[in-house]
Amino acid sequence: MAMYDTPYQRLEASYTDSPLGEDDLLVHVPEGSKSPWHHIENLDLFFSHVYNLHQKNGFTCMLIGEIFELLQFIFIVSFTTLLVSCVDYDILFANKMVNHSQSDHVKVTLPDAFLPPGVCRDRMQENGFLVCLLAIAGVFWIHRLIKFIYNICCYWEIHNFYMQALRIPMSDLPYYTWEEVQSRIVQIQKEHQICIHKKELSELDVSHRILRFKNYMVAMVNKNLLPLQHRLPLLGNTVFYTRGLKYNFQLIFFWGPGCLFQNEWSLKPEYKRSGARLELSEKLAQRILWIGLANLVLCPLVLVWQILYAFFSYTEVLRREPGSLGARCWSLYGRCYLRHFNELDHQLQARLSRAYKPASKYMNCFLSPLLAVVAKHFGFLAGSILAVLIALTVYDEDVLAVEHVLSAVTLLGIVVTICRSFIPDQHLVFCPEQLLRVILAHIHYMPDHWQRSAHRAETRGEFSQLFQYKAVFILEELLSPLLTPLVLIFCLRPKSLEIIDFFRNFTVEVVGVGDTCSFAQMDVRQHGNPAWMSAGKTEASIYQQAEDGKTELSLMHFAITNPRWQPPRECSAFLSQLRERVQRDSTMGNQKHPTGLMQPLQCSGLSIQSDPEPHSLMANMFSGVSTAGFPANTEALGSPHVSAVSEVASALHSLSPQQSCHPVQSQSGISADFRNGSFGSNVWEGPMNSGTLSEYASTEMSLHALYMHELHQQHTRMAPGRHIWHRQESDESGESSQGEGLINTTSNVPSSLSCPSPAAAVWEERLPPLSTHRLSASTDLGSVQRTSLARQPMGGWSEDVQPSRLPEPVPEEGSEDELPPQVQKV
């Protein structure tokens, strides 16, 4: 073990989803009966195009969008060249008189400011830097044109696939959800044999194909492998992750020349063995150095493009809405940190969009009182001057002809708008704990030390790294050409050995899919965390465990959003235990509550709405019940020992869609019947459309995220673990404790009319009639293949290991050269 320089070990595949007897399946179809989509070689690209065409609302919308992007590039280059070489700014600014033959008092027109074509051409030829930029831009545009023509040919094939195989017309495609499209893809596998290595495709196979590289990126961010967090003088801990840096990561790892993958679905064989890890790390470090130097050479060109693109994109928005730069957006780091394994782009965007309003309210709770006083003063001064200028303009419009008056009006308006953004709303109530809990219900991930610390500036500062100002986002993108080469050369290159080990240790080959990230299998036995209800089900060391409960929450999210997916045995066991735990905690909560208190959960007489829908019942439960409504039970209502776990479990258990069944048919014509067993107490007894299913899945996942975090908090209070925010490579704070160690705790989050509870805010925004389906926890399609090397401990980190968890001896490094490539049979 001393020979290992990094904390990663080889992870053997030991689980399977394949039906019995299909381990070495190769489907043969007679030549005459083959469909046009039989045995598609590059299924990654094919499924990605199918998904992109759906997200772009059809072939026509995609085609027009691509054409406009090409024209936009031409416009930016030509318009910039015109402004640089063909405009006489002395005439435009009235510094030089125009020679008119008729009179000296002729009004200057816009064409007078343009130079003659010959003079313009001569100025362009004399500017060598401009000629170089135009040549590079021309080559780049030709490259984009060739790529556009190729994409059109590919997407036309996808268009035919939708029309003929899926039987979805392009005019109706915007009204189909991706879940319906994916369901049809899974169904036509038997007819068309898109993949010849398997008789049946699953939803997980499709997700693996589309998100193969993104799952790797999510795993590397989760394990803190990428150098995204930096400590800078004066600024402290900062996160730098831009689109340019992301592009370079993908170029180095996945698809650039000399990358780690030999094609889109297979890692190069030499990276699967540890014998040449040092040589491969040196090779990777040298490649990172060359790419960093290339970024340094191209920095001026990229910087000019970034400035021009930002200027043309945001100047008009800033003039129209000066406060738009004070708005916030989810950072690229936040999107990667908060993303589940196997979560598609539109699913992530939907979650973050639901969390946007509570996140903005939470950040607005921390406006500086001193800054608010200063903003009020300067806002008053700027507003007074602006009011006088506007009044004079109304009285006589000739005031605008005075030099710089119009500019002063514009600038004063911007100053007033900016000052108002720093003045808090007088009706704003400071309730950060409730807001942060609402945010957690949507984003699903939160560091442990944020709990009950939402009012602290440190928590606000760390959350701002996930939810940053739009102005900060633009500034980072402008600085990206300058900083990206430095990050690659000085920060990423020293991690080359860890990167090589990561891809070797956490890559498994799945039959019919190819090489995938082992974390994306969502196997709690391989990567579960005992602190997240995986105690007794996981054999992973602390270094094999996904941080922040990523494995457990991703498994739960995928199972809820794909109810027809049948998980492997260990995953089914975990989901079954979770469902049983919800029912047990709900029963305990019902026993602690008097019947008078639980009455709103059983009838709609005191509901916010007049109907007995599940969302209104849950909203009542979470928003708190007024003591005036139950005078006979004030002691129970005022008890501080009502468990937060029991509250969430009761909300899940109280979902009773049988009271309000609205059977409908899905858009695809296939009834969505989900009888696999629900986390709730009842079973859906009728079909429902995909829109209702999507909203219900989001609601159910929000509740389960809160429930899992409450259980995790109980576990950490009993056995405190390491902080996972801003983890360092040298973290030696110990390993997670085993066992559930679950105790009932009280909910310290008050509810009031001024500070609504999280669930009330979650449900009041959007919820159609809900229904339960849910997670199948019984079917296992294959036998589990276990190997003795699967549970080898990791090296390179110091652990305080208890006697009951002593690591097993690890074979010598060279012994892995004789091991066969690890194969995941699915």
Side-chain angles (χ1 to χ4, degrees):
M1 183 57 103
M3 299 178 64
Y4 281 86
D5 297 328
T6 63
Y8 301 110
Q9 261 303 13
R10 183 179 182 86
L11 178 65
E12 296 294 335
S14 57
Y15 42 89
T16 176
D17 283 345
S18 298
L20 294 176
E22 293 190 11
D23 292 346
D24 299 317
L25 177 65
L26 187 65
V27 180
H28 175 71
V29 179
E31 189 70 27
S33 60
K34 288 182 179 179
S35 72
W37 298 279
H38 172 74
H39 183 29
I40 298 175
E41 181 179 0
N42 192 344
L43 277 175
D44 287 40
L45 186 63
F46 182 80
F47 285 150
S48 297
H49 284 166
V50 171
Y51 177 74
N52 291 335
L53 191 64
H54 172 267
Q55 294 300 303
K56 294 180 180 179
N57 299 314
F59 182 80
T60 304
C61 293
M62 185 275 303
L63 176 64
I64 295 177
E66 293 284 343
I67 293 176
F68 280 149
E69 286 185 5
L70 290 174
L71 296 178
Q72 184 184 73
F73 183 84
I74 295 177
F75 170 78
I76 292 177
V77 174
S78 59
F79 188 54
T80 304
T81 304
L82 178 69
L83 293 177
V84 171
S85 303
C86 301
V87 177
D88 192 342
Y89 290 97
D90 290 334
I91 295 179
L92 188 64
F93 297 147
N95 296 328
K96 183 173 66 175
M97 298 300 296
V98 182
N99 295 325
H100 289 284
S101 58
Q102 299 178 354
S103 173
D104 293 339
H105 301 285
V106 176
K107 186 176 181 180
V108 178
T109 60
L110 189 60
D112 294 333
F114 288 100
L115 297 174
V119 177
C120 180
R121 183 174 59 254
D122 293 338
R123 294 184 63 179
M124 292 174 56
Q125 294 175 355
E126 293 173 359
N127 193 338
F129 181 71
L130 179 61
V131 172
C132 180
L133 290 180
L134 290 177
I136 296 176
V139 173
F140 181 72
W141 188 84
I142 293 175
H143 171 265
R144 292 190 59 176
L145 179 63
I146 296 174
K147 185 178 180 181
F148 165 75
I149 297 174
Y150 171 76
N151 287 337
I152 291 301
C153 297
C154 294
Y155 279 109
W156 181 252
E157 180 184 0
I158 303 302
H159 168 271
N160 295 333
F161 177 75
Y162 269 103
M163 297 288 291
Q164 301 175 18
L166 300 183
R167 303 185 185 281
I168 299 177
M170 287 292 104
S171 58
D172 295 338
L173 183 59
Y175 309 105
Y176 278 77
T177 64
W178 170 249
E179 287 71 21
E180 293 173 316
V181 175
Q182 181 178 252
S183 176
R184 294 199 175 193
I185 293 175
V186 172
Q187 291 176 4
I188 67 171
Q189 162 65 12
K190 294 182 179 180
E191 177 184 355
H192 296 279
Q193 288 301 319
I194 301 175
C195 177
I196 64 172
H197 298 282
K198 305 181 69 173
K199 284 186 177 179
E200 297 181 357
L201 286 177
S202 68
E203 293 82 354
L204 187 59
D205 295 334
V206 178
S207 297
H208 279 167
R209 292 284 190 175
I210 299 175
L211 302 170
R212 185 188 307 274
F213 296 152
K214 290 183 180 180
N215 283 329
Y216 274 108
M217 294 295 294
V218 172
M220 285 190 284
V221 171
N222 181 259
K223 299 299 291 183
N224 198 34
L225 185 61
L226 299 178
L228 306 179
Q229 301 157 4
H230 312 276
R231 179 179 292 274
L232 301 177
L234 302 179
L235 298 179
N237 290 326
T238 60
V239 171
F240 180 77
Y241 190 39
T242 62
R243 287 178 291 188
L245 186 59
K246 177 183 176 182
Y247 176 85
N248 279 274
F249 285 158
Q250 295 174 346
L251 181 70
I252 293 171
F253 300 145
F254 304 124
W255 52 265
C259 66
L260 280 64
F261 281 74
Q262 62 183 0
N263 47 48
E264 294 191 8
W265 61 88
S266 179
L267 189 69
K268 291 181 179 178
E270 58 267 26
Y271 290 97
K272 298 181 180 181
R273 305 184 183 277
S274 62
R277 55 192 292 267
L278 297 178
E279 179 183 352
L280 292 174
S281 67
E282 294 177 359
K283 181 180 177 181
L284 178 62
Q286 185 178 10
R287 182 166 175 268
I288 294 174
L289 175 62
W290 283 112
I291 292 181
L293 294 176
N295 277 268
L296 199 59
V297 172
L298 297 175
C299 173
L301 303 179
V302 180
L303 182 61
V304 169
W305 171 257
Q306 292 277 50
I307 294 175
L308 291 177
Y309 186 82
F311 177 79
F312 291 129
S313 299
Y314 300 110
T315 301
E316 192 276 333
V317 177
L318 181 61
R319 184 198 64 80
R320 179 166 37 89
E321 300 177 5
S324 59
L325 295 182
R328 290 184 176 269
C329 62
W330 296 101
S331 65
L332 289 180
Y333 173 76
R335 290 177 177 273
C336 197
Y337 173 79
L338 299 175
R339 188 170 197 152
H340 294 296
F341 293 120
N342 303 305
E343 184 176 22
L344 295 168
D345 292 343
H346 74 281
Q347 296 171 342
L348 174 66
Q349 182 61 38
R351 282 201 299 121
L352 298 185
S353 297
R354 293 186 181 102
Y356 183 86
K357 287 186 177 180
S360 299
K361 292 180 180 179
Y362 173 75
M363 297 302 293
N364 291 336
C365 290
F366 293 88
L367 293 177
S368 171
L370 177 61
L371 190 59
V373 173
V374 175
K376 288 180 180 179
H377 176 71
F378 282 97
F380 173 78
L381 296 179
S384 301
I385 301 174
L386 180 62
V388 172
L389 292 178
I390 292 176
L392 292 175
T393 303
V394 172
Y395 177 76
D396 189 352
E397 63 180 6
D398 291 336
V399 175
L400 293 176
V402 178
E403 188 177 11
H404 301 315
V405 168
L406 185 60
S407 300
V409 171
T410 303
L411 291 177
L412 288 172
I414 293 176
V415 170
V416 171
T417 304
I418 294 176
C419 290
R420 287 179 179 176
S421 65
F422 291 103
I423 301 175
D425 185 3
Q426 60 179 346
H427 303 294
L428 181 66
V429 179
F430 186 75
C431 48
E433 291 291 348
Q434 289 89 335
L435 289 173
L436 196 60
R437 192 169 171 83
V438 175
I439 296 170
L440 175 61
H442 295 300
I443 66 176
H444 303 165
Y445 294 100
M446 182 179 295
D448 294 342
H449 61 277
W450 287 8
Q451 295 287 342
R452 294 173 178 81
S453 299
H455 60 285
R456 297 183 179 274
E458 293 81 0
T459 303
R460 187 258 186 195
E462 292 177 356
F463 184 72
S464 66
Q465 296 176 358
L466 307 179
F467 194 61
Q468 61 183 177
Y469 280 114
K470 186 71 173 179
V472 176
F473 172 81
I474 297 174
L475 180 61
E476 288 182 351
E477 291 297 328
L478 293 177
L479 295 177
S480 178
L482 301 174
L483 299 180
T484 295
L486 303 180
V487 173
L488 294 177
I489 296 174
F490 298 104
C491 299
L492 182 64
R493 193 162 59 97
K495 289 177 170 285
S496 59
L497 184 59
E498 297 179 45
I499 294 171
I500 293 297
D501 287 335
F502 176 87
F503 278 93
R504 184 186 71 255
N505 299 326
F506 299 114
T507 295
V508 292
E509 183 180 351
V510 182
V511 172
V513 176
D515 291 335
T516 63
C517 181
S518 60
F519 288 99
Q521 299 296 321
M522 302 174 297
D523 184 12
V524 294
R525 187 173 66 85
Q526 296 278 13
H527 300 297
N529 194 322
W532 291 86
M533 284 196 67
S534 293
K537 296 180 178 59
T538 180
E539 302 174 7
S541 67
I542 190 173
Y543 314 108
Q544 293 171 311
Q545 299 166 5
E547 305 291 346
D548 310 328
K550 181 76 75 173
T551 300
E552 292 79 7
L553 290 171
S554 297
L555 172 61
M556 191 187 312
H557 176 268
F558 192 83
I560 289 176
T561 55
N562 298 275
R564 293 186 178 90
W565 175 63
Q566 296 182 342
R569 182 177 302 160
E570 287 79 6
C571 299
S572 296
F574 172 81
L575 296 174
S576 297
Q577 182 196 13
L578 179 61
R579 182 172 62 249
E580 294 171 359
R581 181 62 188 267
V582 168
Q583 294 175 351
R584 184 168 68 251
D585 287 339
S586 175
T587 303
M588 294 175 58
N590 293 341
Q591 293 175 354
K592 292 181 180 180
H593 285 280
T595 56
L597 178 61
M598 295 305 297
Q599 185 67 22
L601 299 179
Q602 301 170 359
C603 66
S604 60
L606 297 175
S607 175
I608 296 176
Q609 304 180 15
S610 60
D611 61 304
E613 298 298 341
H615 59 274
S616 60
L617 300 178
M618 289 186 293
N620 280 346
M621 191 278 299
F622 274 98
S623 61
V625 185
S626 173
T627 55
F630 302 97
N633 298 292
T634 55
E635 181 180 355
L637 288 169
S639 175
H641 302 288
V642 179
S643 172
V645 173
S646 299
E647 290 180 2
V648 183
S650 298
L652 288 168
H653 190 74
S654 62
L655 294 178
S656 181
Q658 289 179 347
Q659 298 173 358
S660 57
C661 278
H662 305 291
V664 292
Q665 199 77 2
S666 65
Q667 177 73 19
S668 60
I670 304 170
S671 64
D673 187 15
F674 305 99
R675 306 172 184 266
N676 290 334
S678 170
F679 283 134
S681 59
N682 297 280
V683 179
W684 179 256
E685 294 295 341
M688 60 181 174
N689 63 11
S690 58
T692 304
L693 171 62
S694 177
E695 289 299 324
Y696 177 74
S698 173
T699 301
E700 187 178 15
M701 185 61 208
S702 297
L703 277 177
H704 278 93
L706 293 174
Y707 180 75
M708 290 289 291
H709 275 272
E710 288 297 337
L711 293 179
H712 175 67
Q713 284 300 308
Q714 289 186 355
H715 184 278
T716 54
R717 291 189 199 109
M718 188 172 185
R722 57 173 179 164
H723 289 305
I724 45 77
W725 185 256
H726 291 173
R727 297 180 300 274
Q728 302 296 330
E729 308 88 62
S730 59
D731 182 14
E732 299 179 357
S733 56
E735 61 181 305
S736 301
S737 301
Q738 291 190 13
E740 295 183 9
L742 299 172
I743 57 175
N744 289 328
T745 58
T746 61
S747 175
N748 296 332
V749 182
S751 298
S752 64
L753 296 178
S754 60
C755 294
S757 67
V762 170
W763 313 129
E764 69 183 3
E765 294 179 3
R766 82 284 175 273
L767 279 183
L770 306 179
S771 59
T772 55
H773 48 282
R774 250 29 222 202
L775 298 173
S776 172
S778 59
T779 306
D780 182 18
L781 294 181
S783 60
V784 180
Q785 301 177 355
R786 305 179 182 272
T787 63
S788 60
L789 294 177
R791 300 278 65 82
Q792 294 174 357
M794 302 302 214
W797 295 49
S798 61
E799 300 184 47
D800 297 331
V801 185
Q802 298 179 0
S804 59
R805 294 191 62 183
L806 289 176
E808 299 175 3
V810 180
E812 292 297 330
E813 179 180 351
S815 62
E816 289 192 4
D817 289 340
E818 287 73 29
L819 293 176
Q822 44 186 337
V823 177
Q824 167 68 28
K825 308 280 188 177
V826 177

